[in-house]
Amino acid sequence: MAVYAYRCPHCSAIEVAFPIGTAPAAVPCPGCGASSARTFSAPMLTRTPAALSAQSRRAERSASEPEVVTSLPRRRAPGPVAAHPAARRLPRP
């Protein structure tokens, strides 16, 4: 069952459950009996996991206002040195 939104011209918004694909264009308002037209809205975007939502907001913010770094990242212990001399000039993590 899917929940469909309808708006009564006299009362307020109404939510009615119908099987998917069977919702009519209008239903009678349970309060006043007037014909309520179906409204379309975005799907339930609030059900996004909190961690994913926070990461998305952070990425959007950093596009225009990058975060300020207050300290340098820790350096790892140097790994094995490459045998090829050109590889020695490459940056290391």
Side-chain angles (χ1 to χ4, degrees):
M1 295 290 251
V3 176
Y4 294 92
Y6 292 87
R7 176 154 311 270
C8 175
H10 306 292
C11 300
S12 62
I14 305 164
E15 290 185 346
V16 184
F18 288 107
I20 293 177
T22 62
V27 296
C29 175
C32 64
S35 179
S36 303
R38 183 172 168 195
T39 59
F40 295 91
S41 61
M44 294 186 140
L45 300 176
T46 57
R47 295 205 176 198
T48 305
L52 180 62
S53 177
Q55 180 63 26
S56 177
R57 283 193 306 270
R58 180 201 241 161
E60 289 174 7
R61 266 195 324 263
S62 70
S64 60
E65 300 172 11
E67 292 181 11
V68 177
V69 178
T70 57
S71 64
L72 293 174
R74 281 186 357 163
R75 283 191 77 133
R76 294 184 195 170
V81 178
H84 194 277
R88 291 187 184 135
R89 292 191 307 259
L90 295 174
R92 295 192 185 115

